[in-house]
Amino acid sequence: MSEAGADRTNFCYRHPDRQSYILCQRCGRTICPECQTQAPVGVICPECMREQRATAPRTKPAAWTRVRSAAGRGAPVVTYSLIGITALVYLLQWIPGLGVTNALFFSPVFMTEVLPEPWRAITSVFLHSTSLFVHILLNMYTLWIFGRLLEPMLGRIRFLALYLISGLAGSIGVVVFAAPTTQVLGASGAIFGLMGAFVVIQRRLGGNMTQLYVLLAINLAIGFIPGANISWQAHLGGLIGGALVGLILLETRSRSRRGLQIGLLIGLAVVLYVIGTVVARWKIGAF
């Protein structure tokens, strides 16, 4: 019970019927035990707590901080990210009942109105055979090698565009050169695209091409080995697509031609899509 003449400053400002002798360390108002929040020194009221939280510097996750730090040092973060995403998808492929492989693999029929799912031309790039671990191992190793060379040279966005357009070109190569019922998955088309772009760039820079030509010839020849179950069509399509992207990036590398560069890259992707759609519909109709 409080006395009628009691000093009102000794009552909680939020609960006038509760007497207290504790003051907020920030604003000095009286607060009851229910309204008190422990601070490093003393207690603070709810309003001051909200103000403190609103003005406090926001911290970012440690993982994001490390990524930003690596990006600042010029590390090929897009290359590492592509490898990480591909590895994650590969792990998801192993989960029974999830159906990741069936949901993302590519076949020419997905470029037609029969099963209109053209996005699979890109999603299949992030899949790999679960029956052959060396499939993803070799592809990611090659991506690691060429990514560290090309990403700093081209820039992160251009390198990502090169990878994705090359992957699309690999799928379109399957549409053009393979049977309409062919089913494919894997990053090989995108990887060959990196090789194709690197060949174009190295030729312009005047580098030694002998070893690169030998490596490219060996990898292309492997796709023709009987029973190897390797899609040489995706390899060839990715190689051509990557070479075209590399040529576009070289010829429009000046800052004043950036708009033209973006337009040509988008145009190339559209042309590949149109070719894939037209050829797939023609093949399915004649099959």
Side-chain angles (χ1 to χ4, degrees):
M1 296 292 292
S2 60
E3 298 179 2
D7 187 355
R8 300 310 301 173
T9 59
N10 294 332
F11 289 81
C12 178
Y13 79 97
R14 299 180 74 240
H15 302 97
D17 60 328
R18 301 179 187 177
Q19 192 171 19
S20 175
Y21 297 94
I22 304 299
L23 305 180
C24 172
Q25 293 298 309
R26 295 191 66 180
C27 66
R29 291 181 291 188
T30 303
I31 49 177
C32 67
E34 182 180 335
C35 299
Q36 298 169 12
T37 300
Q38 190 65 43
V41 177
V43 294
I44 58 177
C45 67
E47 280 76 8
C48 289
M49 173 56 69
R50 283 195 292 269
E51 181 182 345
Q52 179 175 303
R53 288 174 176 171
T55 57
R58 298 184 178 181
T59 59
K60 297 180 179 179
W64 175 250
T65 302
R66 286 194 291 270
V67 170
R68 290 289 300 273
S69 177
R73 297 193 302 269
V77 293
V78 173
T79 299
Y80 296 155
S81 298
L82 289 171
I83 293 174
I85 293 171
T86 305
L88 176 60
V89 173
Y90 186 70
L91 293 177
L92 294 177
Q93 288 181 254
W94 282 91
I95 300 178
L98 200 57
V100 172
T101 303
N102 289 334
L104 301 180
F105 79 89
F106 177 74
S107 178
V109 70
F110 293 121
M111 300 295 292
T112 70
E113 63 276 4
V114 178
L115 289 172
E117 298 180 14
W119 57 85
R120 289 175 178 254
I122 295 294
T123 59
S124 61
V125 173
F126 297 94
L127 296 175
H128 285 83
S129 172
T130 54
S131 61
L132 190 64
F133 180 68
V134 71
H135 185 207
I136 185 173
L137 189 64
L138 288 178
N139 276 344
M140 294 302 99
Y141 176 67
T142 308
L143 171 57
W144 180 69
I145 291 176
F146 283 94
R148 291 190 304 157
L149 293 171
L150 286 169
E151 186 176 338
M153 187 184 303
L154 302 177
R156 296 186 179 99
I157 301 300
R158 294 181 183 87
F159 176 75
L160 180 61
L162 167 62
Y163 189 82
L164 295 179
I165 293 176
S166 297
L168 172 62
S171 297
I172 302 307
V174 174
V175 174
V176 174
F177 300 114
T181 56
T182 303
Q183 299 179 356
V184 296
L185 48 76
S188 300
I191 299 300
F192 269 82
L194 300 185
M195 294 183 185
F198 193 68
V199 166
V200 171
I201 294 172
Q202 281 291 92
R203 280 186 59 86
R204 179 62 61 88
L205 295 178
N208 188 346
M209 303 294 296
T210 304
Q211 294 182 351
L212 187 56
Y213 283 145
V214 171
L215 175 65
L216 194 57
I218 292 174
N219 280 275
L220 277 174
I222 291 175
F224 292 93
I225 298 177
N229 200 27
I230 297 175
S231 177
W232 62 266
Q233 298 92 339
H235 293 180
L236 182 59
L239 179 65
I240 295 173
L244 289 175
V245 172
L247 184 61
I248 290 173
L249 295 178
L250 272 177
E251 297 300 327
T252 60
R253 61 185 181 274
S254 64
R255 185 179 297 272
S256 61
R257 309 188 75 183
R258 182 168 298 175
L260 176 61
Q261 181 181 97
I262 295 173
L264 289 174
L265 291 176
I266 294 175
L268 176 58
V270 171
V271 169
L272 288 172
Y273 174 79
V274 171
I275 292 174
T277 301
V278 172
V279 174
R281 289 178 177 177
W282 172 73
K283 283 191 171 183
I284 292 295
F287 187 69

